[in-house]
Each structure stands twice: as structure tokens, then as C-alpha cells.
Amino acid sequence: MEYINAFWVGGLICALVQILLEKTKLLPGRVMVLLVCAGAVLGSFGVYDKIIEFAGAGASVPLLGFGNTLFNGVKKAVLEHGFLGIFMGGFTASAVGIAAALIFSYLASLIFKPKMKN
């Protein structure tokens, strides 16, 4: 049942994003920001953790999960460092993911370099 829940919750999230892209005038970048912010807001209300418990990997889609990770990092850093944690937490919680995205994007740009026509 765990796989079925992951499948339909992940599919529902993807379907909602596709509807946003097709039925609104929102650009893809704005939809991505909306998803990151939604993950942070859901995490702040404690809803996102319950969705992950129910759907597992199906709920931890990259953008929603990234927003939730940022929120949890800031929350932890504020508890440890006070006001300065607001500025530190997001970076420390997501540093590995951001670094991996940058490294793999750079490697992909080297491998799949577009050919220029003269």
C-alpha cells in the first residue's frame, strides 16, 4: 500500500502543477517558486510531515521537499542561534542539495554542449 500512496500523491502533485501551467498565465519559474513556498508553508503548519508519513517518497517531490527542508533548517537554526539563524538555517540545511545541483548541471553542460552553426 505504501507504493500506491506514493504513486497517487506524487501524481496528484504533478497533475496540479500541470494544471497551473496550462490554465494560468504563470511562467514555469513562478510555479517553481510557488511550490518551494508551498512546501515551506505546509512545513510551518506541520502538514507536510504528515503528508510525507502517509505518502513517503511520493510527497517529497523536489520543489515541495526543498521548501520544507529550507523551513526546517531555518527553524532549527533559530532555536540554536536566535535571530541570526534566520539567515543561516536555509543555507546549512540545503547546502548539499544545492551543491549537487550545481555540480551535475555543470557536468551536463560539458557533456551535452549544443553545436553552434556557422
Side-chain angles (χ1 to χ4, degrees), residues 13-101:
I13 293 168
C14 291
L16 290 173
V17 170
Q18 192 62 41
I19 290 168
L20 270 176
L21 288 170
E22 290 182 8
K23 300 295 181 185
T24 67
K25 293 183 179 184
L26 291 174
L27 298 173
R30 291 186 179 181
V31 173
M32 289 171 39
V33 170
L34 180 69
L35 288 172
V36 172
C37 292
V41 169
L42 289 173
S44 70
F45 288 116
V47 175
Y48 197 78
D49 292 333
K50 292 176 182 172
I51 295 171
I52 288 179
E53 286 175 20
F54 175 73
S60 60
V61 292
L63 293 173
L64 284 173
F66 181 65
N68 186 49
T69 300
L70 288 174
F71 167 75
N72 286 330
V74 169
K75 179 180 164 185
K76 180 180 174 187
V78 166
L79 292 174
E80 291 177 8
H81 304 287
F83 180 74
L84 289 177
I86 294 172
F87 306 104
M88 298 168 28
F91 294 115
T92 55
S94 60
V96 173
I98 292 171

